[in-house]
Amino acid sequence: MKVLIIGGGGREHAIAASMRKSPRVDALYCVPGNAGIAQIAECEPSIGAMDFDRIVSYAKEKAVDLVFVAPDDPLAAGLVDRLEAEGLRAFGPRKDAAILEGSKAFSKDLMKKYHIPTAAYETFDDAAKALAYLEHAAMPIVLKADGLALGKGVLICNTLEEAEAGVKEIMQDKHFGDAGNRMVVEEFLTGREVSVLAFVDGRTVKTMTSAQDHKRAGDGDQGPNTGGMGCFSPSPFYTKEVDEYCRRFIYQPTVDAMAAEGREFKGVIFFGLILTAQGPKVLEYNARFGDPETQVVLCRMKNDILDVVDACIDGCLDKIELEFEDNAAVCVVLASEGYPVSYKKGFEIRGLERFRGESDYYCFHAGSCLDGDGRIVTGGGRVLGVTAKADTLGEARRKAYEATEWVEFDNKYMRHDIGKAIDEA
Ligand code: AMP
Ligand code: GLY
């Protein structure tokens, strides 16, 4: 089969690496891709993930059998619908189902209607009403821009002053653009966070192994929110009891709710969970693989990814048994100093060849490109996702940090406490 992957980050590199392991894949393409993905797939950097017309022409020109749409923006904007209308086979939710991530107000209303455990909330499309409500609300409180905001549209406010500034930022100054036309105000929850990714075929849901992301830029969870600075899998806090509870009250009910609403979900649902004293609750849904969760999850999956993707599209996921290795993985993101606020790029990345031939070490490229001289240079805030597998989380962590020393570039920045929480488990 010929497969085209849409996207160009560490997640897409991990998906491409998984596809490469499938004996059924004989040609692999990626748009826009990046310098790392280009080593295992043919990339077309001039086509963006939102450039639907050119994606369709490219897919037809290469006669691909499957288009795997990985990022949130093209899913929410209906790329899967467009591909299907052009007679192409696509993996990912259609627009009417991708709204599960595309609108926080939609997902909160869905959870309320179908009694899926989540934080109490109110939705506002008027700043004055939101401000009036906040005057009497308990602090801390959480403000969320309704739409997609690169994972950054969530503000945790400790005081009324912070909450007022947050309303201004989201609804009045439109810091997150139109994503802030509506805003969800949500009860602040405390507990361990766990990410669970699941394949869904419209009816059946099959979960992958659990993971935990580190969203803040600095050690000790300080500093601004980022796309994710590192990750580990599995989460030792995701016990059998938690899993059973979530299956019964969260996973299947979510898939059934979408079907009942006439918005059949096919693709991957990312359940962002928080384990509170009152039990697990949903913090957010994403309608896609997570980044960097994918880097630590797919490298542990034993199944042929193409078999699973086919089963999701064809509605026969019940016939598939997902299997994961009984080990652990840790991913440490090497970023450009200053990310996510402002940073320089274009620096040469050295030492990448050190990963060649290593079986339990991976260097997924998140933001890299080729310069005019054919050198691989930094091309984004998150640059590489250095990942290692081992029998235990502690050993995987040691190996991942060891491998972060193999690569060098000016401005290299990382957190030093990825996976530290496992010491407390
Ligand atoms: P989200 O994009 O909805 O996952 O939010 C980003 C991060 O904000 C989450 O990973 C949590 O750390 C935090 N967060 C979101 N909602 C809440 C909440 N209701 N209570 C506490 N923290 C939250
Ligand atoms: N790592 C969180 C996300 O992919 O949204």
Side-chain angles (χ1 to χ4, degrees), residues 286-364:
N286 295 319
R288 52 170 174 85
F289 270 105
D291 194 341
E293 287 82 353
T294 307
Q295 287 85 313
V296 288
V297 167
L298 280 187
C299 68
R300 300 182 49 230
M301 189 168 86
K302 292 188 193 169
N303 304 70
D304 180 331
I305 188 172
L306 207 48
D307 292 345
V308 186
V309 162
D310 273 341
C312 289
I313 299 173
D314 298 332
C316 52
L317 189 60
D318 56 329
K319 305 279 188 309
I320 298 263
E321 207 52 64
L322 284 186
E323 285 186 281
F324 285 82
E325 293 169 2
D326 182 17
N327 56 13
V330 171
C331 170
V332 179
V333 170
L334 300 185
S336 305
E337 176 105 55
Y339 170 75
V341 183
S342 68
Y343 48 86
K344 293 199 186 116
K345 49 193 190 185
F347 298 114
E348 182 176 7
I349 307 173
R350 296 174 302 269
L352 291 167
E353 63 287 346
R354 177 69 179 77
F355 286 85
R356 227 166 273 153
E358 295 281 359
S359 55
D360 289 340
Y361 295 86
Y362 309 83
C363 184
F364 297 117

Side-chain angles (χ1 to χ4, degrees), residues 74-87:
L75 288 168
L79 179 55
V80 169
D81 310 57
R82 172 73 192 278
L83 292 165
E84 288 179 345
E86 300 278 352

Side-chain angles (χ1 to χ4, degrees), residues 240-301:
K240 199 163 166 286
E241 290 70 36
V242 171
D243 183 59
E244 275 165 12
Y245 179 95
C246 293
R247 274 173 205 288
R248 184 152 165 226
F249 296 108
I250 296 177
Y251 307 146
Q252 193 65 51
T254 299
V255 174
D256 293 345
M258 290 299 281
E261 294 292 310
R263 297 173 182 274
E264 179 186 66
F265 194 105
K266 288 185 176 199
V268 169
I269 299 182
F270 169 133
F271 296 90
L273 307 171
I274 185 161
L275 311 180
T276 75
Q278 287 75 42
K281 295 189 182 188
V282 178
L283 276 185
E284 65 158 346
Y285 293 117
N286 295 319
R288 52 170 174 85
F289 270 105
D291 194 341
E293 287 82 353
T294 307
Q295 287 85 313
V296 288
V297 167
L298 280 187
C299 68
R300 300 182 49 230
M301 189 168 86

